[in-house]
Amino acid sequence: MKSVLLASFLFLLAEFSFAEELTNYTITSDSQVNTLEGDLEAKGNVVIKSNSGNFEAYSDKLSFDKDDKSLKLIGNVYVKNLESEGISIEETSGDELTIFTDTGIFEFKSQNKNRVTTKIKF
């Protein structure tokens, strides 16, 4: 039982890098599971923060697919200070965000006739 609790606690914080930036990110959530293939899934009160810079993201669920090189945030997604392809996004929100970690390109979707809201700087 102690090893299960310890393993659960250790998975509460995880760090990995997006694209070629080599910036570390800390992911905090209620639960996290990783696979031998390098995929990661976090559920419940997911918070992502960069260890250098001021990028922040919040969602209900996160899934990282190493093979597809994609990070998907699902449910009540809110993002601050996202840099992508020369565009600086101050803040944005929607239902589902996919970031392709090899290119930095992202796709934001909204469901049930909700709208994506974004403040950007060029």
Side-chain angles (χ1 to χ4, degrees):
M1 182 66 176
K2 284 185 181 180
S3 62
V4 172
L5 290 174
L6 178 61
S8 298
F9 177 75
L10 292 175
F11 284 119
L12 287 177
L13 293 176
E15 294 181 8
F16 62 93
S17 137
F18 293 168
E20 296 176 10
E21 295 175 17
L22 299 178
T23 303
N24 289 325
Y25 295 84
T26 300
I27 301 170
T28 307
S29 62
D30 294 339
S31 68
Q32 295 182 17
V33 176
N34 70 329
T35 67
L36 293 175
E37 294 80 25
D39 297 339
L40 173 71
E41 183 173 271
K43 293 182 182 177
N45 303 305
V46 177
V47 178
I48 307 167
K49 293 187 178 187
S50 65
N51 292 340
S52 61
N54 52 4
F55 170 80
E56 295 179 28
Y58 304 87
S59 69
D60 295 334
K61 180 180 175 183
L62 170 147
S63 65
F64 173 69
D65 188 316
K66 185 178 178 183
D67 292 335
D68 288 343
K69 298 179 182 165
S70 65
L71 176 73
K72 188 175 283 192
L73 302 171
I74 302 168
N76 300 309
V77 179
Y78 174 77
V79 177
K80 284 176 52 175
N81 304 311
L82 175 63
E83 299 284 334
S84 177
E85 297 300 309
I87 297 174
S88 176
I89 298 172
E90 291 180 3
E91 81 182 77
T92 187
S93 60
D95 295 321
E96 183 178 306
L97 170 65
T98 303
I99 301 172
F100 298 94
T101 59
D102 58 341
T103 61
I105 294 173
F106 68 91
E107 179 181 333
F108 222 135
K109 296 179 184 176
S110 197
Q111 301 168 350
N112 300 325
K113 297 186 181 183
N114 293 330
R115 301 185 66 156
V116 174
T117 303
T118 303
K119 289 182 182 180
I120 62 173
K121 288 190 291 187
F122 293 98

